[in-house]
Amino acid sequence: MRARAAAPLSRRALVAGTLAMSLSLAGAARAEEPLRFGMAMPLSGGQATYGQDQVKAAEWAVAEINAKGGVAGRKLEMIVLDTRADPQAGIQAANRLISVDKVPAFVSAWSAVVKAIAPVANDTRTVQLSVGANSAEIARLGDYTYTTFPLAAVDITAVANYAAKEMGKKRAAVLYINNETGTVAAQIYRDVFSKAGGQVVAYEAYDPRASDWTGPLLKVRAAQPDIVHIQGLVADTPQVIAQMRQLGLTMPVSSYSAVYNPKLIEQLGKASEGVIATSLAPGAADDPAVAAYLARWKKEVGREPNGLPYTQYLYDAPYLVAAVYSGLIDKKMPLTGENFRKEMLAIRTFDLPLTGKLTINDDHTVNKTVYLMEVRNGAWVKKAVVE
């Protein structure tokens, strides 16, 4: 009887040992799973030229993080989906990243898209990192939408004050696209310029689908401003400026960081002379790391990136994600969206490779130095720095 009893005990020990080994292997497999985050950007449509360059910058960063050992020995993995810069497509991309890919956080851009996605992020407790959108309303979209890019209140305030106080402009016209990108920023420019002693003599919106801007531009011409501020998208603003010049409007033009890219000069030629844009990141002359980054673009891609400051912020985004993941792993916290948000706010200040120190404020905003850039002799040059 004892001999017969010993056999089942041996089998039980074998089964227990096999089960323990299986669990151990499963745990090891889980430990080696990549740390995923999402990237929802326009890869097709009118904004694709810019979205594709932003994704490329982020891909470079992910590759470099992984080449240096990843995060706590685990690879960082970025899952990229196309939004076409369209709100509905953005919602679809966010839903897939959250429900299928199970990411605790994802990166997005374009103000209308970020705003449309915010309820999804809030409902699922998934962190949406807006990297590049500028509408001031992004700071008020709920507990799970944060920006790592300064909103319009930062750079539009700077350029409006500069026009009135430093350039001595008294009469401004504001022309803006009638969507999330344009409406709030246009209001900020109008209010700041007026408070600085200037007068807004024309305030005209245009349809996002417009291909002709004669109507609002004729109203601008009739108002006789001495500067025109245009708050549009990267694709339409050069066309607006071209038509403005064709109608004989020769006064200076200001805009925001969307137009600070080589495409504007390529498209407009001499008509781009004197255009002023904001930049919210240091340039090649300000930081050797940025100079090396630009050199890589020219070597590997054969050109500068479209929307240089935006690509710098997109390059830095995976480093922020990696820092948060590292904190979660160190604290042995589950990798959920709720915990991602908690750890991000616990860290709060990040030292990033191409944009420098970033502090996430309690009101979901960030502050940065504003560089005012101007087209002179066919090239962007620094005009002023506003702290």
Side-chain angles (χ1 to χ4, degrees):
M1 290 292 293
R2 282 193 294 270
R4 284 196 298 271
L9 180 61
S10 177
R11 285 195 296 271
R12 284 197 298 271
L14 181 61
V15 170
T18 302
L19 180 60
M21 183 178 294
S22 298
L23 290 173
S24 176
L25 290 172
R30 281 196 298 273
E32 296 302 317
E33 286 179 0
L35 299 165
R36 293 177 176 151
F37 72 101
M39 175 75 65
M41 285 287 173
L43 304 177
S44 61
Q47 309 300 313
T49 301
Y50 305 93
Q52 290 169 3
D53 279 11
Q54 292 173 21
V55 169
K56 181 180 288 293
E59 288 173 341
W60 284 355
V62 170
E64 287 167 12
I65 290 167
N66 288 334
K68 294 175 182 177
V71 182
R74 296 170 65 175
K75 286 190 177 296
L76 191 64
E77 181 182 331
M78 182 173 73
I79 301 166
V80 182
L81 294 180
D82 185 11
T83 67
R84 305 193 303 275
D86 174 74
Q88 189 57 44
I91 292 172
Q92 293 169 357
N95 279 325
R96 170 160 181 169
L97 288 168
I98 294 165
S99 62
V100 177
D101 298 306
K102 310 294 185 184
V103 299
F106 60 90
V107 173
S108 66
W110 275 256
S111 296
V113 174
V114 173
K115 185 174 181 179
I117 290 174
V120 178
N122 290 331
D123 289 347
T124 59
R125 296 186 177 184
T126 306
V127 173
Q128 175 180 210
L129 293 172
S130 170
V131 187
N134 78 323
S135 172
E137 290 190 358
I138 289 169
R140 302 185 289 272
L141 295 180
D143 288 342
Y144 282 84
T145 292
Y146 288 84
T147 183
T148 69
F149 188 85
L151 302 179
V154 175
D155 62 332
I156 303 305
T157 296
V159 75
N161 273 326
Y162 191 86
K165 297 177 180 179
E166 303 300 327
M167 297 176 70
K169 301 303 180 183
K170 302 298 182 185
R171 296 167 61 84
V174 179
L175 186 63
Y176 63 95
I177 190 169
N178 193 16
N179 66 11
E180 296 298 327
T181 296
T183 54
V184 177
Q187 291 168 11
I188 292 170
Y189 188 97
R190 179 189 62 191
D191 295 346
V192 172
F193 188 80
S194 300
K195 187 176 180 180
Q199 179 185 4
V200 175
V201 295
Y203 191 74
E204 299 294 329
Y206 62 86
D207 191 285
R209 296 164 294 181
S211 57
D212 181 88
W213 301 270
T214 303
L217 284 173
L218 287 176
K219 292 179 181 178
V220 167
R221 188 171 70 177
Q224 298 183 328
D226 51 19
I227 190 168
V228 176
H229 181 77
I230 301 175
Q231 196 73 28
L233 291 173
V234 290
D236 56 70
T237 301
Q239 300 176 62
V240 175
I241 295 173
Q243 192 164 19
M244 175 182 162
R245 298 308 190 211
Q246 290 166 6
L247 291 171
L249 294 163
T250 59
M251 66 284 294
V253 171
S254 69
S255 189
Y256 69 116
S257 50
V259 308
Y260 173 48
N261 64 73
K263 284 287 186 184
L264 180 96
I265 300 172
E266 290 173 16
Q267 290 175 262
L268 294 180
K270 290 184 178 180
S272 66
E273 287 294 313
V275 171
I276 298 167
T278 62
S279 174
L280 291 157
D286 306 303
D287 187 339
V290 179
Y293 172 73
L294 273 176
R296 180 178 180 182
W297 270 93
K298 291 174 183 176
K299 180 180 178 181
E300 296 187 17
V301 187
R303 59 172 173 81
E304 291 186 7
N306 293 306
L308 171 62
Y310 292 94
T311 67
Q312 290 171 241
Y313 279 89
L314 264 294
Y315 177 92
D316 283 353
Y319 281 92
L320 185 151
V321 171
V324 175
Y325 265 134
S326 179
L328 290 173
I329 292 169
D330 285 346
K331 295 177 182 178
K332 297 181 171 55
M333 296 171 67
L335 306 181
T336 64
E338 188 172 7
N339 285 339
F340 190 100
R341 174 180 176 272
K342 288 178 181 177
E343 182 61 17
M344 181 177 70
L345 295 179
I347 298 172
R348 194 168 292 273
T349 297
F350 301 83
D351 191 11
L352 301 173
L354 295 184
T355 59
K357 184 178 178 181
L358 177 83
T359 299
I360 298 174
N361 300 322
D362 289 338
D363 62 358
H364 291 223
T365 65
V366 297
N367 296 313
K368 284 284 188 176
T369 297
V370 179
Y371 300 84
L372 297 183
M373 310 299 293
E374 183 177 28
V375 180
R376 293 183 201 160
N377 300 319
W380 286 106
V381 298
K382 191 188 303 179
K383 185 177 181 69
V385 178
V386 182
E387 296 292 344

